[in-house]
Amino acid sequence: MGEIINGIDVEIMKELLRQVSEDKEFVSKITRWNARVSWLGSGFNFRSYVRNHSFLISEPSELGGSDAGPNAVEHVLSALGACYATGFVLNATKRGVRVRNLEIALEGEIDNILVFLGLSSEGHPGYKRIYAKAYVDAEADERTIKEIWEETVRTSPVGHTLIRSVDVVPEVRVER
Amino acid sequence: MGEMINGIDVEKLRELLKQAGENREFVSKINKWSARVRWLGSGFNFRSYVRNHSFLISEPSELGGPDSSPNAVEYVISALGACYATGFILNATKRGVRVRNLEIALEGEIDNILVFLGLSSEGHPGYKRIYAKAYVDAEADERTIKEIWEETVRTSPVGNTLTRSVEVIPEVKVVR
Amino acid sequence: MSKLPLFPVTVVGSWPRPRWLLEALRLKREGKISQEEFDSIADEAVLLAVKYQEDAGVEILSDGEQRRDNFYSFVADKIRGIELKTVAEIVDLVPDKSRFETVLRSLDVPAFSIRNPVVTSRLEVGARGIARDEASFLKNHTRALIKIPLPGPYLLTRSSWVPGISDKHYRSREELGYEYAKILRDEIIALRDLGVFFVQLDEPVLSEVVYGPDQSQQTFMCAALFSRRNPREELEFAVELINETVKGVSGIKVGIHVCRGNWSRREDALLKGDYVPLMPYLAETKVEQLVLEFATPRAGDVEALRDYIGDKELGFGVVNPRTDEVEKPSEIVARVEKILRFMDPGKIYLNPDCGFGTFAEAPVNTPKTAFNKLRSMRIAAEELRRIYGER
């Protein structure tokens, strides 16, 4: 067992990264991700199934939901925060930097939510802008922490998904 | 109490929508969403806090995580699925269409995941394409169902977030 | 000093900490220096704070709370059974997480950086008391009268009671409250015996009870979010605890300080609202003095006191600790004259609205401006004494 930094065995992680670049099958596996969302039969209540995990997604009560979980747009922010956090821990660990605390506060502004509610056709109902603020306490000087953060932002899968336009391919199948 | 369709009081829903359109404060409230993601102190383990909810975000074991939950990119496609599902239930209910079953299968393709791992600098680490397939069983003819679906896709907050480029504003604050 | 003149000049408590003291506070927290090493550094800071106050003409002075990280969580160092926990460590136990989020956003801080005292076992006061060490040092180094601020029983109860942790050691919040009242009463008596003139119980959280709920402005004490009953019940509970604390205490002046939080220079981050809803309750407290803020417009008009101040003294907030501008003595005199329309001059003390550095890391002013504000108060007091006599 190698040195453990941030709860991660640095040797094993480096070995894993080395193998990844040589294993085409593995790369194509971690390039594709799946999820399935089922309506729970009443109101704005859904369950998402991802591999062996599942979780609820609903709407807050002021939007007519049961508030059994965060809603879809909140999950987007959480995903961005988790992606930055994952990248930060990964990149810090690669450099051997111990992280003491890490927290990311996110706030997103929808361009015009009324489009979603069918009450307007101006603008669009997606996020226009998202603020992501990382609070970091790590055993490194400020410059190194900023470098790790910049690397994290530059290589973030969810970050790139949001700042670029993704080709979303929707399809509907009517079942009886 | 008005007629219940899809577990939703249709009268109340219409009233809610009418009020929402007229209440600027409410609109500005639901144009903003927030989340906070915290690193749990060891490995690729995070918890997201959204209003009174909280849930785990981690990495699968083959990526060196504990696999205690979906990861960030899986939450993104779940969010898209949930957003389409929410919109579909909303738009069907507004038209008085009863939905019997609704399920959305999603698959996303990353452009080049090696960028995230720091093993390549070609392309980008975000989703290039996302397939979202809805399976619908509802009390309406195929044309109506397709219309509801198209309306849903057109007005989806998460869909529009993904197909457009969002301005993401990252910031890091070093805390001791 | 045998007899105090009219309009005694005093402070609410904290003084901006020097940078080297903050560094020492951090090292102590990280366990890198001992309590003794910290004390010898803090002693020097206290002497500075005392000198500033004496030179400005303060007649009842404090030690500037230089040894404390803030006005209430320092008790974790003094009372066994209280531990500092971060919001990150307790948020999972809270049902109403979204209010925590609002606080974190308004302060622009992460959950891991905010520490709260939490009751984690039965309480027991250590050998240094809560502030007996502070009082002994002050007594040796000033001939002025001494004021010691202590966190009030309601503030302590409300901020340190965390269901899921504290309820394993105390049956209820009420039981814990009475324990704090007893601990504080013993402390007040010990401070009296050390020669302390004035103990001020800080209860700023009372304003949060009245103005906090359903407003965008939020409390600065996060754990206080745990217990939310209706405001009337909370205020009655607070009065009960304060009266239990001072029961049978004599030979020392006891006051309570209630403000709206003065921890930020950002006006919009702080609570606002006049004292009207609080006065019926403050009138029921069996303390000698109410130390209230009136220099800030957020606190409303002094008229709120007219029907309720009764025989109590007023610690009159006449300068704003958070502004650059130094209040002119003539403005202070005018403010006092307004309140003399319904109060006896013998009942009025002059003080700033609040401390100059409620939280160690976030002083709201420089020592220079703070000094000038205190100086202005003393000049105003002299002017008032010319008009109303020495006593």
Side-chain angles (χ1 to χ4, degrees):
Chain A
M1 204 169 79
E3 196 190 4
I4 305 281
I5 293 185
N6 302 327
I8 296 158
D9 186 319
V10 184
E11 289 295 307
I12 294 181
M13 192 185 78
K14 286 190 174 153
E15 180 58 24
L16 189 90
L17 288 175
R18 205 180 56 76
Q19 284 175 6
V20 166
S21 47
E22 291 161 5
D23 185 345
K24 282 203 168 186
E25 207 177 307
F26 184 72
V27 172
S28 100
K29 191 182 163 207
I30 62 168
T31 289
R32 282 168 188 273
W33 300 91
N34 294 288
R36 179 173 300 268
V37 175
S38 291
W39 181 48
L40 297 180
S42 176
F44 299 112
N45 290 298
F46 312 93
R47 187 173 273 282
S48 176
Y49 297 87
V50 172
R51 289 179 286 116
N52 291 336
H53 309 288
S54 83
F55 57 95
L56 288 170
I57 304 181
S58 74
E59 288 291 334
S61 49
E62 68 258 37
L63 286 175
S66 62
D67 199 21
N71 71 7
V73 291
E74 289 169 324
H75 272 292
V76 169
L77 299 180
S78 295
L80 178 62
C83 195
Y84 282 160
T86 305
F88 195 93
V89 170
L90 174 71
N91 296 320
T93 307
K94 274 204 282 190
R95 295 183 189 222
V97 168
R98 268 172 227 280
V99 181
R100 281 186 289 248
N101 267 301
L102 170 64
E103 194 169 307
I104 300 183
L106 303 116
E107 186 167 85
E109 283 172 24
I110 299 278
D111 186 63
N112 183 8
I113 195 68
L114 295 178
V115 178
F116 169 64
L117 299 174
L119 300 169
S120 169
S121 54
E122 272 170 57
H124 66 88
Y127 279 121
K128 166 173 66 182
R129 193 174 296 121
I130 297 175
Y131 298 90
K133 186 174 209 170
Y135 299 93
V136 180
D137 180 4
E139 289 180 4
D141 57 28
E142 184 142 351
R143 217 184 96 195
T144 309
I145 293 177
K146 289 202 162 150
E147 273 175 27
I148 297 173
W149 175 247
E150 276 153 27
E151 182 180 359
T152 299
V153 169
R154 199 174 61 243
T155 62
S156 161
V158 178
H160 274 274
T161 298
L162 293 169
I163 62 175
R164 293 162 187 276
S165 64
V166 181
D167 182 19
V168 174
V169 187
E171 183 190 343
V172 66
R173 289 227 339 228
V174 180
E175 304 282 319
R176 295 288 175 207
Chain B
M1 203 167 81
E3 195 190 5
M4 295 294 282
I5 293 184
N6 304 326
I8 295 158
D9 187 321
V10 186
E11 290 290 306
K12 263 171 110 176
L13 177 72
R14 290 194 180 133
E15 184 56 27
L16 188 94
L17 289 175
K18 198 170 79 67
Q19 283 176 2
E22 292 159 5
N23 185 345
R24 279 185 166 214
E25 208 177 306
F26 182 71
V27 172
S28 94
K29 189 181 162 206
I30 61 171
N31 262 327
K32 275 200 181 177
W33 300 90
S34 60
R36 178 176 301 265
V37 175
R38 283 206 313 111
W39 180 47
L40 297 180
S42 176
F44 298 112
N45 279 299
F46 310 93
R47 186 174 274 281
S48 177
Y49 293 86
V50 172
R51 289 179 284 116
N52 290 338
H53 307 289
S54 84
F55 56 94
L56 289 169
I57 305 181
S58 70
E59 288 294 331
S61 48
E62 66 262 38
L63 285 175
D67 197 21
S68 41
S69 70
N71 71 6
V73 291
E74 290 169 323
Y75 274 111
V76 170
I77 50 179
S78 292
L80 178 63
C83 194
Y84 282 162
T86 305
F88 196 93
I89 296 297
L90 173 71
N91 295 319
T93 308
K94 274 205 285 194
R95 295 182 191 221
V97 169
R98 267 172 225 279
V99 180
R100 281 187 290 253
N101 268 301
L102 170 64
E103 195 169 308
I104 301 180
L106 302 116
E107 183 170 83
E109 279 173 31
I110 299 280
D111 186 64
N112 182 8
I113 193 68
L114 296 179
V115 178
F116 169 63
L117 299 173
L119 301 169
S120 166
S121 55
E122 271 171 58
H124 67 87
Y127 279 123
K128 167 174 64 184
R129 194 173 293 116
I130 300 172
Y131 299 92
K133 189 184 245 180
Y135 300 92
V136 181
D137 179 5
E139 290 181 4
D141 57 27
E142 184 145 348
R143 217 183 94 197
T144 309
I145 292 178
K146 288 201 162 152
E147 271 175 28
I148 296 174
W149 175 247
E150 276 152 26
E151 183 181 358
T152 298
V153 169
R154 196 176 65 243
T155 63
S156 161
V158 179
N160 277 277
T161 297
L162 293 169
T163 58
R164 296 165 189 270
S165 66
V166 181
E167 185 190 358
V168 175
I169 302 166
E171 182 189 343
V172 67
K173 195 167 164 180
V174 178
V175 180
R176 303 274 178 214
Chain C
M1 196 179 280
S2 56
K3 215 171 180 195
L4 271 171
L6 289 179
F7 311 106
V9 175
T10 184
V11 290
V12 172
S14 59
W15 186 257
R17 283 116 175 132
R19 190 175 295 277
W20 41 268
L21 177 63
L22 293 179
E23 179 62 16
L25 257 174
R26 194 177 64 81
L27 292 173
K28 183 181 68 133
R29 196 164 58 225
E30 290 170 2
K32 290 178 180 157
I33 59 172
S34 66
Q35 182 66 47
E36 290 67 34
E37 287 170 297
F38 174 76
D39 284 341
S40 66
I41 296 167
D43 287 350
E44 302 303 310
V46 172
L47 293 178
L48 270 179
V50 167
K51 177 87 167 102
Y52 272 118
Q53 293 175 79
E54 287 178 345
D55 290 352
V58 173
E59 289 153 321
I60 306 164
L61 54 77
S62 77
D63 76 347
E65 301 182 15
Q66 301 291 292
R67 302 171 197 279
R68 307 178 178 182
D69 53 349
N70 66 49
F71 64 101
Y72 71 110
S73 62
F74 75 98
V75 296
D77 277 346
K78 300 295 187 70
I79 305 177
R80 278 190 288 279
I82 302 177
E83 283 177 53
L84 290 186
K85 289 193 175 290
T86 66
V87 169
E89 290 172 293
I90 53 180
V91 68
D92 291 322
L93 294 163
V94 195
D96 195 356
K97 295 180 179 59
S98 57
R99 295 196 66 233
F100 271 93
E101 179 60 25
T102 314
V103 174
L104 296 177
R105 280 197 188 270
S106 73
L107 298 179
D108 184 18
V109 290
F112 67 74
S113 75
I114 302 253
R115 287 177 186 80
N116 263 281
V118 175
V119 170
T120 57
S121 68
R122 298 291 295 190
L123 304 183
E124 197 189 326
V125 179
R128 293 180 293 144
I130 300 174
R132 280 169 246 169
D133 52 346
E134 298 174 356
S136 307
F137 183 83
L138 263 186
K139 200 68 199 165
N140 286 336
H141 293 280
T142 183
R143 281 185 293 171
L145 295 175
I146 293 173
K147 180 192 245 193
I148 297 279
L150 292 176
Y154 178 70
L155 165 66
L156 286 173
T157 306
R158 195 173 155 120
S159 62
S160 68
W161 172 257
V162 176
I165 300 177
S166 312
D167 53 7
K168 293 183 177 67
H169 311 284
Y170 287 89
R171 281 191 308 277
S172 63
R173 212 164 65 111
E174 285 64 27
E175 191 196 352
L176 177 65
Y178 274 79
E179 178 92 328
Y180 275 127
K182 185 183 173 306
I183 285 173
L184 287 167
R185 193 190 316 128
D186 293 346
E187 186 71 15
I188 294 170
I189 290 167
L191 291 171
R192 176 198 65 193
D193 295 345
L194 285 169
V196 170
F197 174 73
F198 191 162
V199 163
Q200 171 188 286
L201 299 171
D202 291 333
E203 289 288 8
V205 74
L206 287 179
S207 61
E208 201 262 339
V209 174
V210 178
Y211 318 115
D214 310 311
Q215 289 202 7
S216 56
Q217 294 99 336
Q218 294 291 339
T219 180
F220 42 97
M221 277 151 289
C222 290
L225 299 181
F226 275 104
S227 37
R228 307 198 63 75
R229 296 183 300 189
N230 77 57
R232 197 173 51 79
E233 275 177 50
E234 284 298 291
L235 293 169
E236 283 168 0
F237 179 48
V239 170
E240 193 180 315
L241 291 182
I242 290 164
N243 288 341
E244 182 67 20
T245 302
V246 298
K247 199 170 69 183
V249 172
S250 63
I252 184 168
K253 189 185 294 293
V254 180
I256 52 176
H257 170 56
V258 181
C259 66
R260 289 145 193 77
N262 283 289
W263 43 271
S264 169
R265 291 194 69 150
R266 270 184 47 218
E267 200 68 18
D268 62 338
L270 304 172
L271 293 171
K272 63 166 175 284
D274 62 26
Y275 281 104
V276 171
L278 275 171
M279 284 316 295
Y281 299 93
L282 296 181
E284 291 298 309
T285 59
K286 298 190 172 71
V287 298
E288 208 176 328
Q289 186 174 121
L290 301 179
V291 181
L292 305 178
E293 57 181 352
F294 281 108
T296 172
R298 292 178 301 127
D301 197 84
V302 292
E303 280 300 312
L305 304 182
R306 186 188 284 268
D307 297 336
Y308 293 99
I309 192 73
D311 286 338
K312 286 191 175 57
E313 293 172 350
L314 174 67
F316 191 20
V318 290
V319 299
N320 187 335
R322 296 175 301 107
T323 52
D324 292 329
E325 193 194 330
V326 176
E327 289 81 353
K328 291 191 191 73
S330 58
E331 288 170 52
I332 297 171
V333 168
R335 280 181 187 161
V336 172
E337 288 189 319
K338 190 173 172 201
I339 211 155
L340 287 174
R341 282 184 274 172
F342 59 88
M343 276 193 75
D344 171 2
K347 297 281 188 186
I348 295 169
Y349 284 51
L350 303 184
N351 46 256
D353 275 1
C354 197
F356 291 99
T358 308
F359 288 84
E361 313 282 345
V364 292
N365 232 317
T366 59
K368 189 178 173 191
T369 307
F371 172 83
N372 287 333
K373 283 178 183 255
L374 296 182
R375 185 97 202 109
S376 198
M377 280 169 43
R378 176 65 188 259
I379 296 167
E382 300 291 345
E383 173 64 19
L384 287 161
R385 287 167 195 164
R386 265 194 292 281
I387 306 170
Y388 296 93
E390 287 288 319
R391 186 180 295 254

